[in-house]
């Protein structure tokens, strides 16, 4: 039985197993299984490899998209440029890192962008592994961006820096943090939501719940909101192509 799966820290609310199980059924694939592999720390990855000799591919989620890099034998050219990995291809004992988040995010975002938003700028909430793929995609789309973090860093705004004028000059706001992810659905990025306008697009990479508080607050202001479910499907399909071709 060929084994595929997902590594991360808290995986109990992931949709990936049901997505791949459905895929296997639809395509009549009988010799594949998709499993969750929660790792308390990234060092446990070596133990996982030893215990799962039939592994053929893995997805990687929070918080290991960057921490996984030293454990890999190589990176695709795009993953190298992004600096984060969400897909691992296992061939002849070699582990090659890829990033399909870029494709999933970019394709999902492009479908929703208005002409006005295309000419505006983006606020990227969070500086973790997921933000790396978002930044790469925004560069591909020639959309200027500004990173936002809880802690002050060079070229990074804090949430306290987000004035009304900053919000108004950035019509795309992308949440790459886990704030609002199930089961902690009552959390949300601390933005001045009163400054959100109907011209804004709020993209939350979270897909569980379907509508986070971040999205709900945007909806109340008339903004366009997107969750990460389509991105999940697109990146998963691209990962499957990598694993099987």
């Amino acid at each position: 039985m060929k084994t595929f799966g997902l590594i991360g820290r808290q995986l109990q609310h992931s949709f990936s197993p049901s997505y791949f199980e459905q895929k296997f059924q639809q395509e009549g694939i009988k010799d594949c299984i998709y499993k969750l592999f929660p790792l308390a720390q990234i060092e446990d990855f070596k133990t996982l490899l030893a215990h799962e000799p039939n592994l053929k591919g893995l997805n990687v989620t929070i918080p290991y998209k960057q921490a996984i890099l030293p454990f890999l034998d190589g990176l695709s050219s795009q993953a190298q440029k992004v600096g984060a990995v969400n897909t691992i291809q296992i061939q002849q004992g070699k582990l090659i890192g890829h990033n399909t988040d870029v494709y999933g995010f970019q394709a999902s975002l492009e479908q929703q962008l208005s002409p006005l938003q295309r000419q505006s700028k983006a606020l990227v909430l969070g500086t973790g592994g997921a933000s790396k793929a978002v930044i790469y995609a925004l560069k591909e789309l020639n959309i200027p961006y500004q990173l936002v973090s809880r802690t002050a860093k060079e070229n990074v705004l804090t949430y306290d820096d987000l004035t009304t004028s900053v919000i108004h000059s950035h019509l795309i706001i992308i949440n790459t943090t886990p704030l609002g992810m199930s089961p902690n659905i009552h959390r949300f990025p601390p933005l001045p939501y009163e400054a959100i306008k109907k011209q804004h697009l709020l993209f939350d990479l979270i897909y569980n719940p379907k509508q986070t508080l971040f999205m709900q607050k945007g909806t109340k202001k008339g903004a366009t909101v997107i969750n990460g479910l389509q991105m999940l499907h697109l990146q998963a399909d691209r990962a499957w192509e990598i694993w099987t071709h």
Side-chain angles (χ1 to χ4, degrees):
M1 185 71 75
K2 297 172 188 171
T3 303
F4 301 89
L6 174 68
I7 65 168
R9 193 168 285 158
Q10 294 180 323
L11 305 178
Q12 63 269 34
H13 299 280
S14 172
F15 287 179
S16 292
S18 60
Y19 180 76
F20 278 102
E21 283 163 16
Q22 190 175 10
K23 188 177 190 68
F24 298 156
Q25 284 181 353
Q26 287 173 345
E27 299 188 16
I29 298 168
K30 308 281 189 188
D31 62 343
C32 293
I33 187 169
Y34 192 97
K35 299 165 71 173
L36 295 177
F37 298 112
L39 303 179
Q41 54 191 11
I42 193 59
E43 289 76 17
D44 296 338
F45 182 63
K46 288 183 177 179
T47 306
L48 167 64
L49 294 177
H51 287 172
E52 295 285 344
N54 296 322
L55 270 178
K56 300 299 179 187
L58 288 166
N59 293 125
V60 185
T61 191
I62 294 171
Y64 299 136
K65 293 185 181 187
Q66 291 169 277
I68 193 66
L69 297 181
F71 296 85
L72 304 178
D73 298 302
L75 298 174
S76 71
S77 58
Q78 188 182 59
Q80 198 161 15
K81 291 172 188 170
V82 173
V85 160
N86 78 308
T87 299
I88 301 172
Q89 178 186 25
I90 304 173
Q91 276 191 334
Q92 298 171 336
K94 298 289 185 185
L95 278 63
I96 309 300
H98 298 260
N99 193 302
T100 65
D101 279 338
V102 172
Y103 166 72
F105 171 75
Q106 186 170 334
S108 189
L109 177 67
E110 280 191 286
Q111 290 179 18
Q112 298 291 337
L113 281 177
S114 70
L116 183 63
Q117 290 157 357
R118 282 183 178 274
Q119 300 303 315
S120 185
K121 297 181 285 186
L123 287 175
V124 180
L125 312 181
T127 56
S131 74
K132 300 288 189 288
V134 167
I135 289 167
Y136 187 95
L138 291 173
K139 287 178 179 175
E140 291 285 297
L141 295 169
N142 293 312
I143 295 174
Y145 65 89
Q146 172 63 59
L147 286 168
V148 182
S149 177
R150 289 173 297 179
T151 52
K153 304 171 192 172
E154 191 176 0
N155 300 321
V156 177
L157 297 180
T158 67
Y159 288 99
D160 291 337
D161 297 324
L162 299 182
T163 61
T164 296
S165 62
V166 171
I167 297 294
H168 285 178
S169 63
H170 294 77
L171 293 182
I172 305 166
I173 305 176
I174 304 151
N175 178 37
T176 74
T177 78
L179 289 171
M181 185 187 293
S182 185
N184 301 311
I185 60 172
H186 301 299
R187 302 183 70 194
F188 55 90
L191 307 180
Y193 289 94
E194 65 278 2
I196 301 291
K197 302 184 292 182
K198 65 180 181 180
Q199 290 88 350
H200 276 93
L201 170 67
L202 274 59
F203 193 133
D204 202 328
L205 267 57
I206 293 169
Y207 56 84
N208 187 7
K210 286 184 179 178
Q211 251 218 346
T212 59
L213 274 178
F214 168 73
M215 294 170 64
Q216 289 175 37
K217 288 174 178 289
T219 300
K220 284 179 182 175
K221 302 300 288 186
T224 300
V225 299
I226 318 171
N227 70 13
L229 189 59
Q230 185 188 32
M231 175 182 168
L232 172 78
H233 292 171
L234 290 168
Q235 68 82 19
D237 283 340
R238 182 60 63 89
W240 181 249
E241 288 174 19
I242 290 169
W243 292 335
T244 56
H245 292 90

